[in-house]
Amino acid sequence: MTTPQQRSVGSARQVDTTSLAARLAQAAMAIVLAIISVLLMLSTHRVELDLLGVDLPAGLLFGAVFQGLTCVFLWAATGSRFPLLVMGCLWGLLATPFLGEGVGGGVMLPAVVADVPQYSGWIVQGLGLVIPFLVAGGITVAGRARSRAR
């Protein structure tokens, strides 16, 4: 059974993405997923897989795929780029306690250990920060290209 409002709009349903309640729900989703993403990516970024004599950075690849899928999920679930921006901004803040050196030495992502640069730590930080902004930018560009094609 359709209401008069649905008949006038047609079969397309509009989802509220701009009200305060919607924005708070989007931010809550982004915060929870950013916490999970940081913990997962930081704990797996050093995992390597030996495949035919080649060490593949399986942890970094897994983290990049997870971050990308999380961003696509956030966009698909909310219909907004806002949670992607929240996730991108929060990722660095949530990873900060694990950076540098602690009382007992390197924490999770020291920049240098015994004068050897730790590139995997730098890469995982870049992936965590950049992927949400790249996905948001890609969605923006695709939406504008689609609207111009009409």
Side-chain angles (χ1 to χ4, degrees):
M1 175 158 197
T2 60
T3 64
Q5 291 173 338
Q6 288 175 334
R7 275 187 238 121
S8 66
V9 173
S11 64
R13 289 179 51 192
Q14 295 292 330
V15 178
D16 176 26
T17 60
T18 58
S19 71
L20 179 61
R23 293 294 188 187
L24 289 174
Q26 293 168 10
M29 286 177 63
I31 290 167
V32 169
L33 289 173
I35 291 169
I36 293 169
S37 175
V38 166
L39 294 175
L40 182 83
M41 289 176 72
L42 291 182
S43 61
T44 62
H45 79 279
R46 290 190 182 268
V47 175
E48 291 185 353
L49 179 64
D50 185 26
L51 187 65
L52 301 172
V54 177
D55 287 335
L56 295 176
L60 290 174
L61 294 173
F62 175 71
V65 169
F66 179 81
Q67 187 77 335
L69 290 175
T70 301
C71 291
V72 170
F73 168 76
L74 278 172
W75 176 71
T78 63
S80 174
R81 294 177 306 263
F82 175 70
L84 301 176
L85 302 177
V86 170
M87 182 178 218
C89 292
L90 273 181
W91 208 94
L93 292 174
L94 293 172
T96 299
F98 302 104
L99 304 176
E101 292 188 18
V103 176
V107 182
M108 293 276 282
L109 296 172
V112 177
V113 173
D115 295 329
V116 177
Q118 302 299 305
Y119 296 116
S120 64
W122 296 351
I123 293 169
V124 77
Q125 291 175 62
L127 292 174
L129 291 168
V130 170
I131 289 175
F133 294 113
L134 286 178
V135 172
I139 291 167
T140 302
V141 169
R144 291 185 188 199
R146 187 177 28 220
S147 68
R148 286 184 186 161
R150 291 181 195 177

